[in-house]
Amino acid sequence: MEIESIQSVSLNFTTEGIFRIYGTFNDQGSSIPWSLILKIIRTEHSDKDDPQHHNYWKREALVNQSQLLSHLPDFIYTPQCYKVEEKANGSIWIWMEEIKEENNKIWSEENLAFIARHLGMFNGAYFSSKTLPEYSWICRNWLHSWVNSCKKYSINPMTYYPTIQGFASLLNIYHSYLLLNENINKHLHTISKLPRVLAHQDLSKQNIFIHRGLTLIDWQFLSISGLGEDLGKLYGIALSQQDIPIEKAEYFQDLLFTNYIEGLQDTGWKGEIVLPRYGFCTSFALRSNWEVPKLMKLASSSIIESDNIDNHSIKLLTDITALQMRAGNEAERLYNKVINTEINIPQ
């Protein structure tokens, strides 16, 4: 038997380790290979003990102990869970099937269109044939919780204002960010009133396999969210991890959204497109609550050290956050249309 640690691009704070365990067994003279995945989770901070926290530390174990994943639409695949063990030291060990398909290749346009369409079908299923689960540990206001955590743990970008004020590109983002956050409670309230769907909320490449249908792993952020939210998260992570080239960001935004709507319509959804568009724009724009402070800190350090912001990381973050600010502007323009639709959101 062999054990190897699996390194992740962005390991969750509640994840103590992920391991691949493999070997062979003898079956009447034939050597048969086997493998499985062990994920070890542990509470990391008291705020993550709340079942309605976006990163409630026990959620993935509870998801796998329930029958929830076996009732997903039949084109969404998940790894089989063999056992969930609660250890004396307070950790939980989750033993799972290894998904062996490769998922580290560069995503093609066809891959992204496939993912977005199936995501639309996944969300749309909860309007046509599926009932939303009612477990108390499924987060009901994931984006609100995530934004609150960003504000709690990230540095206030105002700290860096004196350093960055001589750079127009940074100032534009900074002032747009302040304006977006002046209206943040309005947008968080409104997105919480959009049509509700089951959402994964962590659709990075490392959690997606394209095989037969759409195979998704790591359901730690499982939530009941607003229509379009999951797509905004997918687009934002893909840009940050450079799975979508920044120079083609607008092209892929249109590709993803078009295919998402087609996926919704495949399930019979006939609602107003302004609703998923608002959910998409708001979800993507509010990722700036993590990205803008990071940009301001990085740029400020570069300015102090070399009196410029001429490096790849700063340029990429500047471009991404500029896109987020444009999405925030679009969400603001869509707001009145959304609150006047048939869902009758109270103001």
Side-chain angles (χ1 to χ4, degrees):
M1 183 178 71
E2 302 286 341
I3 302 175
E4 62 183 25
S5 177
I6 296 176
Q7 303 303 314
S8 175
V9 174
S10 55
L11 201 64
N12 191 302
F13 296 122
T14 64
T15 301
E16 191 169 77
I18 305 174
F19 305 92
R20 179 175 183 262
I21 303 171
Y22 61 98
T24 59
F25 69 90
N26 187 281
D27 181 18
Q28 298 180 353
S30 297
S31 183
I32 309 297
W34 62 268
S35 65
L36 51 79
I37 298 296
L38 168 62
K39 185 171 185 177
I40 301 175
I41 58 176
R42 182 192 295 272
T43 186
E44 174 262 341
H45 193 279
S46 59
D47 61 0
K48 297 181 182 66
D49 292 338
D50 177 3
Q52 284 305 301
H53 190 277
H54 75 278
N55 197 17
Y56 173 48
W57 80 277
K58 287 185 176 180
R59 186 174 293 117
E60 187 171 10
L62 291 166
V63 168
N64 281 290
Q65 285 178 316
S66 74
Q67 294 299 309
L68 189 152
L69 296 181
S70 64
H71 294 294
L72 297 177
D74 60 10
F75 50 82
I76 300 292
Y77 297 86
T78 63
Q80 182 180 353
C81 178
Y82 300 123
K83 190 173 185 179
V84 175
E85 291 184 288
E86 297 191 27
K87 297 293 187 178
N89 65 0
S91 66
I92 298 178
W93 291 23
I94 307 172
W95 300 84
M96 295 176 286
E97 170 192 6
E98 180 186 14
I99 303 298
K100 296 180 180 179
E101 290 81 10
E102 188 176 348
N103 71 338
N104 60 5
K105 294 180 179 179
I106 295 173
W107 271 339
S108 66
E109 289 187 29
E110 291 77 13
N111 292 154
L112 285 162
F114 179 88
I115 293 167
R117 188 164 192 142
H118 279 68
L119 183 57
M121 292 163 59
F122 173 44
N123 288 170
Y126 292 91
F127 301 121
S128 60
S129 60
K130 294 288 182 181
T131 301
L132 286 169
E134 297 182 354
Y135 297 104
S136 61
W137 38 260
I138 299 177
C139 187
R140 261 66 180 176
N141 285 286
W142 193 94
L143 189 58
H144 198 161
S145 174
W146 184 83
V147 167
N148 284 343
S149 290
C150 288
K151 292 187 177 299
K152 182 176 181 178
Y153 294 109
S154 64
I155 299 173
N156 189 331
M158 292 180 67
T159 305
Y160 305 107
Y161 179 78
T163 309
I164 62 97
Q165 60 183 319
F167 294 82
S169 60
L170 297 177
L171 273 183
N172 289 338
I173 291 168
Y174 174 80
H175 289 300
S176 295
Y177 173 79
L178 293 182
L179 182 61
L180 176 64
N181 276 270
E182 284 179 11
N183 295 312
I184 196 167
N185 289 331
K186 175 182 78 175
H187 289 304
L188 288 171
H189 172 74
T190 305
I191 204 169
S192 75
K193 301 301 180 182
L194 291 179
R196 314 315 284 162
V197 298
L198 196 66
H200 184 281
Q201 287 285 16
D202 198 12
L203 293 174
S204 61
K205 182 188 282 187
Q206 57 265 34
N207 291 337
I208 298 174
F209 298 82
I210 301 172
H211 176 68
R212 297 176 297 177
L214 192 63
T215 299
L216 303 178
I217 66 172
D218 194 348
W219 291 82
Q220 169 67 11
F221 287 169
L222 180 77
S223 70
I224 293 174
S225 295
L227 189 62
E229 268 192 70
D230 236 355
L231 187 71
K233 181 73 180 293
L234 167 67
Y235 180 60
I237 295 178
L239 285 173
S240 295
Q241 295 186 354
Q242 300 180 65
D243 295 316
I244 288 177
I246 191 64
E247 63 274 10
K248 297 185 71 176
E250 293 187 2
Y251 172 80
F252 280 105
Q253 181 181 142
D254 291 342
L255 178 81
L256 288 171
F257 190 75
T258 298
N259 279 274
Y260 179 76
I261 295 300
E262 289 176 357
L264 284 175
Q265 293 170 342
D266 286 345
T267 67
W269 181 80
K270 297 178 181 178
E272 297 286 344
I273 290 179
V274 67
L275 301 178
R277 185 67 189 181
Y278 179 82
F280 168 79
C281 289
T282 304
S283 172
F284 175 54
L286 292 185
R287 282 184 58 78
S288 63
N289 279 275
W290 187 256
E291 304 279 26
V292 168
K294 183 167 64 173
L295 168 63
M296 297 302 161
K297 180 179 180 179
L298 186 62
S300 180
S301 297
S302 182
I303 292 165
I304 291 169
E305 292 173 5
S306 59
D307 199 31
N308 68 65
I309 52 173
D310 187 21
N311 73 57
H312 173 73
S313 296
I314 295 174
K315 176 67 166 60
L316 178 63
L317 263 177
T318 301
D319 290 344
I320 290 172
T321 52
L323 286 166
Q324 290 167 348
M325 295 305 98
R326 276 151 61 182
N329 290 338
E330 184 176 349
E332 187 65 33
R333 292 194 300 271
L334 293 172
Y335 171 74
N336 285 330
K337 292 182 180 179
V338 171
I339 65 172
N340 289 320
T341 60
E342 61 188 31
I343 57 174
N344 296 319
I345 299 175
Q347 299 186 52

